[in-house]
Amino acid sequence: MSRRVGRRVVGRGHGRPVSALGAAMCAVAAAAGAVALPGIAAAQDSPPYVFAQGTKAVQGAVTSGDAAELKAGETYRSSIEAGVKGTGLGGGSGAKGAAGTRYYRVDLDGSSDTYVSAVAVPKVGADVKVAFNDSISVTLQDQQGNRCDSEVAAFRSAEYPRPIAATAERVVREGGGRCQDAGTYYVVVARKTAPDSTRERWDLELSVSSEPTLKSPPATTGPGAWSSASPRPPAGIPSERPGGTGFNDARSLRQGVWKDRIRPGQTLFYRVPLDWGQQLFTEAELGTSAGDAQRKGFVPSALNVTLYNPARTPVTSKDASYGGEPSVAALDSLPPVAYENRYLSQADEAGVRFAGWYYLKVSLTPEMKGTFGNKESGVTLRLTVHGEAASAPAYVRDPGAFQVTDADRAAAENGSAQGGGSSLPSAGGQDSGQTGQGGSVRTNRMTVVGIAGIGTGSVLVLGLGVWTYVARRRSPAGW
């Protein structure tokens, strides 16, 4: 049984004269910050999330008749206002023309499986509040209003702002019924907001990925038995690899033991290449800080770990509480990556249906601040990639993001935050990004950000050029 129809809920699952240098750098900053995309928050109000390079701005429509087109292989930046007040989860498609509901359009062929992802990026800060059932939903429907698929991502018990993602899919299969034909389909993104939540506009990152059909008709049932036994986690001294702010600058990891630092309210992203026939086993340990053991306190759901597949579909999630001693969140065992997994009835098992980059989102609740202080905590990731890579299914064309390439393996080996030919658009650059909750991770968590068409490189080069020009004017000849 596939997950094509119905609603899936995901929870557990930011007076003196001015010197020549100062004036010049202010001019650079003003030039970068003066441009704002329509309907999208300005740079100083933007959330700490690095958007994909080359991201295109798109406005969601109030009705389907005005919906802008989203194309496969592209990533878009949009926004959505607060939805209808209420405590229930979003219903998927939303009321036509209702606040908090936006329409987009996709043109699909009659053979490829398609995945439409929406990453909701709320602002962060002590004055921003979200509730248990605050959510974002993505629904894919045909021109007659028939629902192909819908997914809801909510904050659930971890009630603090952080990126959440949901994906709607169109899977083509023999005898599949609705949503099988080529034509125009509508993407409906809806936001549900509780009465006590703050109502800031959320940024959205929208992406459409297309998985080609197979040369021969695929099996329409799931694979047989598989081993759910977890191997012993890797041991040894952990190596440091700082996480990213989102899917686009997620730090690449391979099997091994990795460490990072995380603050209350912060979310970090990592990615692991997983090939056909391989299983991923993940443990995330929240370490102690000096003096924590002497404090009388306990924080439920202190650490949250969520796994996403290459289509940015949430696969599985786990929490760990904290009471002053080390605590571990271990993700449930999942079957080896296989094309036929998409026909399994369990949503988490069906999620490991293709090879590619799998993403780990690690979040630490702000409640840690009140109980154990506003300080960084150590987090250790123990990753096991079990099994040898198997042969890929025979796609009719290059599967794009749904494969593991030599470049991906090299990126995982050297720990780059981007690179690897099969990943979705990488971080930084035009129309994108802010420094993360911990800054960017390319070198030392600092990023120079391009705003509304001023590329990262342009701002950086311009700034360095001004600095060099002024420095040369102040320096003796021959410097």
Side-chain angles (χ1 to χ4, degrees), residues 224-301:
W226 52 276
S227 175
S228 61
S230 299
R232 178 174 297 180
I237 300 174
S239 300
E240 184 172 3
R241 285 195 181 174
T245 67
F247 291 97
N248 306 297
D249 64 342
R251 179 66 67 176
S252 303
L253 303 176
R254 55 171 172 77
Q255 176 171 296
V257 187
W258 311 99
K259 67 178 180 180
D260 201 355
R261 307 289 295 176
I262 189 169
R263 297 196 313 271
Q266 188 176 17
T267 294
L268 301 172
F269 281 76
Y270 311 86
R271 62 178 190 168
V272 184
L274 204 59
D275 217 333
W276 300 102
Q278 294 184 326
Q279 290 174 279
L280 178 65
F281 297 89
T282 303
E283 282 191 1
E285 177 185 318
L286 181 60
T288 61
S289 297
D292 283 359
Q294 285 69 47
R295 297 196 182 202
K296 303 294 183 181
F298 180 80
V299 179
S301 302

Side-chain angles (χ1 to χ4, degrees), residues 377-464:
S377 297
V379 61
T380 302
L381 297 175
R382 297 181 177 89
L383 306 179
T384 301
V385 177
H386 181 69
E388 296 296 326
S391 298
Y395 287 108
V396 296
R397 57 176 171 83
D398 188 287
F402 305 121
Q403 62 182 319
V404 175
T405 66
D406 290 341
D408 295 333
R409 297 183 187 94
E413 187 68 30
N414 62 38
S416 67
Q418 56 180 320
S422 68
S423 61
L424 289 172
S426 56
Q430 181 172 320
D431 292 338
S432 67
Q434 322 305 324
T435 50
Q437 295 163 2
S440 172
V441 298
R442 292 185 189 141
T443 51
N444 60 351
R445 299 189 188 229
M446 296 192 68
T447 301
V448 179
V449 181
I451 305 296
I454 300 177
T456 300
S458 301
V459 176
L460 178 58
V461 170
L462 180 57
L464 290 175

